[in-house]
């Protein structure tokens, strides 16, 4: 079962887990009696250094996160080190190592490759730091205390549902010809996005409502290395010339806006009619496209909310309190189930954009024509 119903019970339970984990991690003065000792467990200095290791700038939400972490952590009294790793995995590994050497009490990590940070994060834990996976899960290591993210599986469910609704709305009666795009295989989010979407789409493929004309339906076949637009566009070009010479493409499942726009470009260049295309991130160009009736949908994951939740978690750890979590079963990273705080993603279409972005001063104006 996923989230919600047991949220309160889970919060209490997983909060205790967090403190136990930190005691085990060798935090100085840690107690072995997590129950009785929890309150006494020292947090860390109120002006501590906090490391935030962000991935590449593969979408606008990461750029916004950089700004918000710097501002929010400073405002909370901490000393932030916020870094992108545009050079790739090795750069991110080196950055985390340097953050640990600089005495960071918390490492917040948006991993480029969720499976390649074990050594650095284990060193962080050995040095007594807390590790929070931000937006993307860190895999195959004990060295992660908490996960703060939007519900990734639900993102996929919303995308799959939007694709079906968009097809019915814009493409008449089925069956519909569609293609599938997934995210980067090294990003731990890409699988839950795809699996969430396929939980909705697979039954419609099985009953013949949807036809994937290229025949490419497995995650491996449809993944997009590095979340790069050019990789998705190249794959779509090949599919369009190979499988759609004499037939219409009605819809494309895209995991985010950047790749969705790449698909729209490929289709336009092939001289085809605009298909129903999904997305994620509420990027400016895509919101404009949705309002103009081109891209069909995106997802709103308010980065301000995600960063605020992460900073609230850091403050709780600083004060030696239990961190708030609402899911203790969905995110198994291969060696442990990571207690998570999951936020709710929202679907956005032309119809509800103004309503969803009502409180977002940068996106709302785009819906007003
Ligand atoms: C994020 C998405 C984003 C993608 C590419 C994912 O991990 O959750 O919001 O579109 O990375 O940057």
């Amino acid at each position: 079962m996923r989230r919600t119903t047991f949220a309160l019970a889970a919060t209490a339970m997983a909060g205790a887990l967090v403190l136990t984990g930190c005691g085990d991690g060798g935090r100085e003065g840690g107690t072995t009696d997590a129950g009785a000792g929890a309150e006494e467990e020292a947090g860390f200095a109120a002006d501590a250094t906090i490391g935030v290791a962000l991935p590449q700038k593969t979408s606008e939400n990461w750029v916004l996160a950089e700004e918000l972490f710097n501002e929010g952590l400073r405002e909370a009294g901490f000393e932030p080190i916020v870094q992108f790793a545009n050079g790739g995995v090795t750069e991110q590994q080196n950055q985390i190592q340097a953050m640990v050497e600089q005495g960071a009490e918390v490492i917040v990590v948006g991993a480029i490759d969720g499976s390649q940070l074990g050594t650095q994060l284990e060193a962080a834990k050995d040095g007594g730091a807390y590790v929070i996976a931000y937006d993307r899960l860190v895999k195959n290591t004990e060295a992660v205390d908490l996960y703060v993210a939007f519900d990734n599986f639900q993102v996929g469910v919303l995308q799959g549902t939007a694709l079906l609704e968009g097809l019915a709305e814009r493409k008449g009666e089925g069956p519909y010809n569609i293609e599938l795009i997934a995210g980067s295989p090294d990003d731990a989010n890409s699988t839950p996005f795809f699996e969430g979407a396929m939980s909705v789409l697979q039954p419609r493929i099985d009953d013949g409502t949807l036809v994937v004309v290229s025949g490419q339906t497995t995650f491996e076949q449809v993944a997009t290395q590095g979340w790069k637009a050019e990789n998705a566009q190249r794959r779509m070009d090949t599919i369009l010339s190979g499988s759609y010479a004499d037939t219409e493409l009605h819809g494309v499942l895209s995991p985010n806006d950047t790749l969705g726009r790449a698909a729209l470009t490929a289709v336009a260049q092939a001289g085809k009619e605009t298909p129903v295309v999904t997305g994620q991130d509420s990027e400016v160009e895509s919101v404009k496209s949705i309002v103009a009736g081109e891209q069909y949908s995106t997802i709103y994951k308010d980065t301000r909310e995600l960063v605020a939740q992460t900073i609230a978690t850091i403050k709780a750890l600083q004060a030696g309190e239990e961190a708030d979590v609402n899911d203790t079963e969905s995110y198994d990273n291969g060696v442990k189930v990571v207690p998570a705080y999951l936020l709710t993603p929202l679907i956005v279409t032309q119809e509800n954009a103004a309503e969803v972005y009502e409180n977002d001063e940068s996106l709302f104006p785009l819906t007003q024509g």
Side-chain angles (χ1 to χ4, degrees):
M1 108 120 242
R2 299 179 54 77
R3 216 161 36 101
T4 54
T5 330
F6 298 134
L8 287 177
T11 302
M13 198 174 74
L17 279 177
V18 171
L19 291 171
T20 310
C22 297
D24 290 351
R27 173 158 288 275
E28 104 230 15
T31 168
T32 46
D33 182 6
E39 255 79 54
E40 292 154 32
E41 184 126 14
F44 47 82
D47 62 352
T49 297
I50 309 294
V52 182
L54 298 174
Q56 287 129 328
K57 298 181 185 176
T58 41
S59 44
E60 286 169 7
N61 50 342
W62 296 110
V63 179
L64 184 54
E66 177 193 33
E67 190 186 315
L68 294 171
F69 270 120
N70 272 317
E71 275 172 23
L73 286 170
R74 252 191 219 111
E75 206 171 292
F78 298 115
E79 184 56 50
I81 308 176
V82 185
Q83 291 176 323
F84 279 104
N86 287 313
V89 174
T90 311
E91 186 178 354
Q92 188 164 52
Q93 290 170 334
N94 293 339
Q95 286 172 339
I96 293 173
Q97 197 182 321
M99 288 169 185
V100 174
E101 283 161 9
Q102 287 169 74
E105 294 282 0
V106 180
I107 305 284
V108 175
V109 56
I112 295 174
D113 184 329
S115 302
Q116 299 289 327
L117 298 176
T119 309
Q120 291 70 30
L121 296 179
E122 276 145 34
K125 295 279 334 152
D126 288 346
Y130 293 93
V131 174
I132 302 176
Y134 171 84
D135 188 78
R136 300 175 171 182
L137 188 60
V138 172
K139 308 204 66 176
N140 304 324
T141 178
E142 290 280 350
V144 50
D145 297 299
L146 290 159
Y147 181 40
V148 183
F150 281 88
D151 186 334
N152 299 303
F153 188 86
Q154 181 61 15
V155 166
V157 169
L158 293 173
Q159 290 169 332
T161 308
L163 181 60
L164 288 179
E165 286 174 2
L167 289 167
E169 214 177 276
R170 294 190 178 172
K171 299 293 175 184
E173 297 271 295
Y176 308 105
N177 297 333
I178 65 159
E179 292 300 328
L180 309 169
I181 301 176
S184 190
D186 47 9
D187 177 353
N189 282 354
S190 299
T191 336
F193 292 157
F194 188 65
E195 285 173 355
M198 290 308 271
S199 73
V200 176
L201 300 179
Q202 190 64 53
R204 300 280 86 85
I205 294 174
D206 295 343
D207 73 14
T209 308
L210 301 174
V211 182
V212 183
V213 178
S214 69
Q216 299 178 15
T217 54
T218 65
F219 177 78
E220 290 70 26
Q221 287 172 317
V222 305
T224 309
Q225 192 61 48
W227 287 99
K228 288 206 165 92
E230 61 262 35
N231 292 341
Q233 196 173 325
R234 199 176 318 115
R235 181 169 158 261
M236 286 305 294
D237 286 342
T238 309
I239 288 175
L240 285 164
S241 57
S243 306
Y244 289 87
D246 328 300
T247 184
E248 183 97 12
L249 172 63
H250 300 113
V252 178
L253 172 78
S254 167
N256 81 354
D257 287 345
T258 309
L259 305 187
R261 295 196 302 274
L264 283 165
T265 304
V267 173
Q269 284 175 2
K272 299 259 174 205
E273 256 182 53
T274 306
V276 172
V277 175
T278 62
Q280 166 174 209
D281 296 331
S282 295
E283 295 204 345
V284 170
E285 284 312 309
S286 285
V287 172
K288 287 185 187 162
S289 174
I290 289 169
V291 172
E294 293 153 8
Q295 184 174 323
Y296 181 73
S297 66
T298 185
I299 300 280
Y300 187 44
K301 301 193 299 188
D302 189 343
T303 305
R304 299 169 305 179
E305 227 188 299
L306 190 59
V307 171
Q309 182 59 38
T310 309
I311 294 177
T313 302
I314 295 169
K315 282 185 179 166
L317 296 173
Q318 188 278 320
E321 291 164 5
E322 292 182 1
D324 207 5
V325 298
N326 61 12
D327 181 302
T328 51
E329 50 194 21
S330 299
Y331 285 93
D332 186 334
N333 81 345
V335 296
K336 73 184 273 196
V337 177
V338 184
Y341 193 99
L342 299 182
L343 297 164
T344 307
L346 301 174
I347 191 75
V348 183
T349 59
Q350 192 184 37
E351 205 192 319
N352 73 353
E355 195 188 317
V356 175
Y357 299 140
E358 206 179 355
N359 297 316
D360 190 314
E361 67 277 8
S362 53
L363 295 178
F364 181 74
L366 304 177
T367 66
Q368 300 302 294

